[in-house]
């Protein structure tokens, strides 16, 4: 089977999750950049490949996948020899899948609503408090998930963590977990704070840092503002 081809823009959280997994599993992948902010996802040739005009898109032999969660599952099934990221046990696998759906339908949707509104309307015209309420609800849900085990779906790293961390880190630009108020967010969501710190220690997390900083820059430029979080450290 030929090596996979990933169409990507690493400013996208779902793309970053795929890039993290590729690094974790040391997969030989051809990368083809699609600039979302220049509208390259609407090019005729790309629409023929992915009519949803989204990234990531993975082409692997005859298979074309256009959802990051399905891409994560496919790559894990093909290249994760240990089988821990996408568990072989049915019940454990369904728990991971449930968290992937949470990321897709709840967390990422709310993050995307915020970021796209900042880009479209500029920050000064955005109801930030509205988005904060919705995204802090997501923080609370993840805190509850982590009451059951050390990671999002198990006591070891799974695809759920890889998928969620790239979106959480994006939300963290706007609503930092380390922000101190009358009750610090660390006190409100201590498990989430610890989990996020653990995820940032992964070697593969550097891939996320690079794309996250690119996203920060373009959203600040287009939204005419600065995120409240401190600047990211120097990248490798």
């Amino acid at each position: 089977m030929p090596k996979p081809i990933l169409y990507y823009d690493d400013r996208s959280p779902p793309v970053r999750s795929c890039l993290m997994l590729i690094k974790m599993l040391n997969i030989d992948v051809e990368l083809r950049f699609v600039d979302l902010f220049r509208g390259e996802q609407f090019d005729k040739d790309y629409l023929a490949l992915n009519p949803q005009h989204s990234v990531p898109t993975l082409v692997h032999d005859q298979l074309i996948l256009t959802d990051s969660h399905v891409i994560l599952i496919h790559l894990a099934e093909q290249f994760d020899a240990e089988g821990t990221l996408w568990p072989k046990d049915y019940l454990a696998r369904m728990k991971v899948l449930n968290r992937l759906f949470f990321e897709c339908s709840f967390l990422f949707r709310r993050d995307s609503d915020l970021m796209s509104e900042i880009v479209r309307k500029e920050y000064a015209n955005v109801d930030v408090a509205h988005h904060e309420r919705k995204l802090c609800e997501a923080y609370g849900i993840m805190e509850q998930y982590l009451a059951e085990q050390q990671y999002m779906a198990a006591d070891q790293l799974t695809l759920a963590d890889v998928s969620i961390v790239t979106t959480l880190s994006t939300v963290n630009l706007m609503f930092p977990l380390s922000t101190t108020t009358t009750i610090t967010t660390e006190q409100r969501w201590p498990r989430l704070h610890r989990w996020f710190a653990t995820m940032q220690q992964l070697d593969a997390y550097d891939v996320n840092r690079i794309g996250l900083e690119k996203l920060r820059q373009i959203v600040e430029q287009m939204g005419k503002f600065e995120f409240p979080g401190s600047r990211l450290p120097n990248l490798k």
Side-chain angles (χ1 to χ4, degrees):
M1 182 178 290
K3 71 179 181 181
I5 301 170
L6 185 73
Y7 293 83
Y8 80 107
D9 182 331
D10 56 350
R11 292 168 292 192
S12 158
V15 165
R16 284 184 257 128
S17 67
C18 295
L19 293 174
M20 279 187 64
L21 183 65
I22 287 166
K23 183 171 182 177
M24 291 168 67
L25 298 179
N26 194 29
I27 305 170
D28 183 14
V29 173
E30 178 183 342
L31 297 176
R32 297 184 183 178
F33 186 69
V34 178
D35 193 330
L36 296 179
F37 289 89
R38 291 183 180 274
E40 291 180 0
Q41 69 273 29
F42 297 107
D43 288 353
K44 181 179 179 181
D45 290 344
Y46 190 71
L47 286 173
L49 188 68
N50 178 357
Q52 296 173 218
H53 48 79
S54 61
V55 289
T57 295
L58 185 82
V59 178
H60 197 187
D61 198 14
Q62 300 300 311
L63 188 63
I64 300 174
L65 302 176
T66 59
D67 178 88
S68 66
H69 310 84
V70 180
I71 292 171
L72 291 174
I73 291 169
H74 171 70
L75 293 177
E77 289 194 350
Q78 293 294 311
F79 299 101
D80 180 19
E82 296 183 3
T84 57
L85 293 170
W86 181 238
K88 300 182 186 301
D89 175 76
Y90 176 77
L91 293 180
R93 194 166 64 250
M94 289 302 100
K95 192 169 185 179
V96 173
L97 186 62
N98 191 64
R99 300 296 191 262
L100 291 175
F101 272 75
F102 160 76
E103 194 284 329
C104 173
S105 63
F106 197 94
L107 179 61
F108 177 70
R109 182 50 47 211
R110 294 184 177 203
D111 168 61
S112 179
D113 287 347
L114 168 63
M115 295 298 172
S116 60
E117 189 171 352
I118 291 173
V119 168
R120 291 195 320 270
K121 296 182 178 180
E122 298 181 1
Y123 178 82
N125 301 308
V126 174
D127 185 351
V128 177
H130 166 75
H131 290 285
E132 183 174 18
R133 287 192 299 271
K134 293 174 75 70
L135 285 160
C136 283
E137 182 183 11
Y139 283 173
I141 292 170
M142 290 182 281
E143 179 74 9
Q144 185 173 336
Y145 287 160
L146 291 165
E148 302 175 17
Q149 64 280 306
Q150 292 299 308
Y151 291 88
M152 285 294 170
D155 281 321
Q156 70 277 340
L157 189 73
T158 69
L159 295 182
D161 304 287
V162 178
S163 178
I164 288 172
V165 74
T166 57
T167 302
L168 174 66
S169 65
T170 306
V171 177
N172 187 63
L173 290 175
M174 191 70 243
F175 308 119
L177 285 171
S178 58
T179 296
T180 301
T181 58
T182 52
I183 300 177
T184 67
T185 53
E186 186 173 355
Q187 291 172 338
R188 291 176 67 186
W189 304 297
R191 299 183 189 93
L192 183 60
H193 195 277
R194 287 195 297 268
W195 172 84
F196 188 38
T198 298
M199 294 298 295
Q200 291 178 79
Q201 298 305 308
L202 296 173
D203 289 342
Y205 190 82
D206 285 345
V207 173
N208 186 58
R209 284 192 180 94
I210 293 169
L212 187 62
E213 180 60 20
K214 293 177 183 178
L215 178 68
R216 175 202 287 276
Q217 293 173 5
I218 191 67
V219 174
E220 286 185 342
Q221 176 187 340
M222 298 182 75
K224 298 183 179 179
F225 81 118
E226 288 191 358
F227 285 108
S230 60
R231 293 289 171 182
L232 295 176
N234 291 333
L235 304 173
K236 295 182 178 180

